């Protein structure tokens, strides 16, 4: 049976081990709609969303109801954390467009080595762009395997989202990523022990912020600057504040942030350096992009938390006014930061006042 919060690929892998089959063979027997190649099968929207046919077939094969099956997909977070309104499971191009826009990992995952050491169950939330630290073990999540060099959970680097149909049963406590085999050769699964992945301890304050963000993602209280908001508004505010921090945060902001680890500060500074040097922008320099690593996500959480969770509107807007001059006009201020719902002046007005006061 699936474990609460488990991702669909994690559950399929565990079922495969129980049946002594490969993940690809298991996917076929479950009835997933798949595309096939010589060495792997590629389930449609694997771990992202289920097709109606796929949900019906898997339910019949496993006895799980549709609600439980869909709760293991990234589409579970299409409640405001992610926007899947334009997803067409029959159109691979729509998935590609979503992966370029949404704050989530559509192939692969991050992971907590200590959680996996206790039990080889991969949490669904580790695939969110804002997945940064484990609130239980207070360590930075890991992005890539140090042996194979690939993102964790990628499975088959030659076929992203592909599941192997050869080479026997998985070792659930190993990386298992596979590289495309050279002509006439057999691919070998990576033998990195998951429990031995390097881990970095983070401040308890940062772990608390991660927990608050996850509570909002899972339907719990969502509050911005002391005001209750919807899940969608909460994450819209977080993304806007992240963009503002990327555009305007100074070294003094990083130095004065107690929740920021050296690894997170380094990742965030590296992004800012790349953006400043870039002449024509690009995916790696977009202010609204999903955090590319757990360390970058940790920096986003650490820098935005004092604003996002400020006790009231005034300290939040005052703090944001320092970054606001660097934010392009093309970025729309979310409604929950506009001041309308709280009876406060809009952010732009606060910024203009602060800017004028700074010149006098």
């Amino acid at each position: 049976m699936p474990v609460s919060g488990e991702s669909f690929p994690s559950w399929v892998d565990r079922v495969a081990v129980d049946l002594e089959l490969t993940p690809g063979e298991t996917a076929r027997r479950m009835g997933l709609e798949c595309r096939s190649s010589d060495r792997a099968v590629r389930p449609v929207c694997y771990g992202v969303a289920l097709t109606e046919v796929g949900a019906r077939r898997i339910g019949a094969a496993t006895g799980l109801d549709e609600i439980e099956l869909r709760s293991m997909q990234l589409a579970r977070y299409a409640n405001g954390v992610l926007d899947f309104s334009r997803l067409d499971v029959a159109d691979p191009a729509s998935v590609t467009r979503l992966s370029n826009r949404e704050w989530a990992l559509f192939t692969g995952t991050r992971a907590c080595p200590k959680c996996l050491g206790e039990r080889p169950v991969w949490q669904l939330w580790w695939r969110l762009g804002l997945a940064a630290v484990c609130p239980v073990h207070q360590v930075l999540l890991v992005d890539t395997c140090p042996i194979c060099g690939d993102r964790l959970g990628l499975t088959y680097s030659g076929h992203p989202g592909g599941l192997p149909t050869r080479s026997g049963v998985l070792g659930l406590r190993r990386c298992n990523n596979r590289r495309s085999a050279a002509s006439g050769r057999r691919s070998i699964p990576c033998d990195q022990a998951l429990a031995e992945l390097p881990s970095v301890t983070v401040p308890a304050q940062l772990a608390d912020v991660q927990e608050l963000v996850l509570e909002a993602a899972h339907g719990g209280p969502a509050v911005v600057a002391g005001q209750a908001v919807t899940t969608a508004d909460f994450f819209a505010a977080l993304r806007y504040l992240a963009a503002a921090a990327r555009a305007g945060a100074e070294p003094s902001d990083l130095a004065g942030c107690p929740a920021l680890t050296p690894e997170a500060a380094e990742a965030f500074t590296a992004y800012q350096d790349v953006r400043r040097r870039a002449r024509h922008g690009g995916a790696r320099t977009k202010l609204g992009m999903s955090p590319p690593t757990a360390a970058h996500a940790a920096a986003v959480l650490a820098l935005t938390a004092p604003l996002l969770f400020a006790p009231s509107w005034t300290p939040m807007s005052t703090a944001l006014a320092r970054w606001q001059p660097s934010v392009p006009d093309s970025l729309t201020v979310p409604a929950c930061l506009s001041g309308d719902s709280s009876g406060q002046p809009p952010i732009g007005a606060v910024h203009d006042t602060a800017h004028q006061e700074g010149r006098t």
Side-chain angles (χ1 to χ4, degrees), residues 37-124:
S37 66
D38 290 340
R39 298 185 180 90
V41 298
R42 298 182 63 184
V44 176
C45 289
Y46 189 54
V48 176
L50 285 177
T51 64
E52 293 296 332
V53 172
R56 187 167 58 252
R57 288 175 178 173
I58 300 166
T62 65
L64 295 183
D65 62 39
E66 185 172 336
I67 293 176
E68 190 164 18
L69 289 170
R70 294 193 184 280
S71 72
M72 292 187 280
Q73 316 296 322
L74 266 179
R76 168 186 178 175
Y77 293 108
N79 61 344
V81 183
L82 304 173
D83 180 4
F84 276 21
S85 60
R86 297 181 182 178
L87 173 64
D88 179 358
V89 293
D91 179 13
S94 78
V95 180
T96 300
R97 289 191 292 269
L98 279 181
S99 68
N100 292 333
R101 186 187 73 220
E102 295 301 314
W103 282 29
L105 283 68
F106 283 66
T107 57
T109 180
R110 296 170 188 157
C112 170
K114 296 185 181 296
C115 285
L116 293 175
E118 294 171 359
R119 190 174 186 181
V121 171
W122 299 68
Q123 292 292 308
L124 177 62

Side-chain angles (χ1 to χ4, degrees), residues 11-34:
W11 176 66
V12 170
D13 284 352
R14 292 196 302 110
V15 171
V17 169
D18 289 342
L19 297 177
E20 298 184 347
L21 298 172
T22 64
E25 291 170 322
T26 303
R28 284 173 174 163
R29 291 199 182 189
M30 283 183 173
L32 272 76
E33 293 185 87
C34 300

Side-chain angles (χ1 to χ4, degrees), residues 73-286:
Q73 316 296 322
L74 266 179
R76 168 186 178 175
Y77 293 108
N79 61 344
V81 183
L82 304 173
D83 180 4
F84 276 21
S85 60
R86 297 181 182 178
L87 173 64
D88 179 358
V89 293
D91 179 13
S94 78
V95 180
T96 300
R97 289 191 292 269
L98 279 181
S99 68
N100 292 333
R101 186 187 73 220
E102 295 301 314
W103 282 29
L105 283 68
F106 283 66
T107 57
T109 180
R110 296 170 188 157
C112 170
K114 296 185 181 296
C115 285
L116 293 175
E118 294 171 359
R119 190 174 186 181
V121 171
W122 299 68
Q123 292 292 308
L124 177 62
W125 74 264
W126 290 344
R127 299 182 65 183
L128 293 176
L130 281 167
V133 305
C134 174
V136 176
H137 298 104
Q138 297 183 6
V139 296
L140 193 68
L141 298 184
V142 178
D143 298 281
T144 58
C145 171
I147 290 184
C148 68
D150 283 333
R151 180 185 291 167
L152 293 174
L154 198 59
T155 305
Y156 215 97
S157 62
H159 304 273
L163 303 179
T165 57
R166 304 178 184 180
S167 302
V169 180
L170 292 176
L172 289 178
R173 297 186 182 275
R174 301 288 170 176
C175 169
N176 290 314
N177 279 340
R178 295 168 180 264
R179 293 183 178 276
S180 294
S183 178
R185 295 188 179 184
R186 190 177 181 181
S187 63
I188 300 175
C190 178
D191 200 41
Q192 168 69 50
L194 297 173
E196 295 174 7
L197 290 168
S199 59
V200 176
T201 302
V202 301
Q205 182 180 350
L206 182 57
D208 290 343
V209 172
Q210 180 76 83
E211 191 160 18
L212 288 172
V213 170
L214 290 177
E215 285 180 4
H218 293 141
V223 177
V224 174
Q227 297 289 323
V229 298
T230 65
T231 302
D233 282 345
F234 178 89
F235 284 95
L238 202 163
R239 288 190 292 269
Y240 181 84
L241 293 175
R246 287 165 170 166
E250 299 290 341
S252 59
D253 292 307
L254 277 66
C257 184
L260 201 63
T261 65
E263 294 79 10
E266 181 180 354
F268 192 82
T269 302
Y271 159 82
Q272 288 186 313
D273 289 343
V274 169
R275 184 171 183 272
R276 291 189 184 105
R277 291 196 302 269
R279 291 185 177 182
H280 303 293
R284 294 178 60 203
T285 64
K286 290 182 179 179

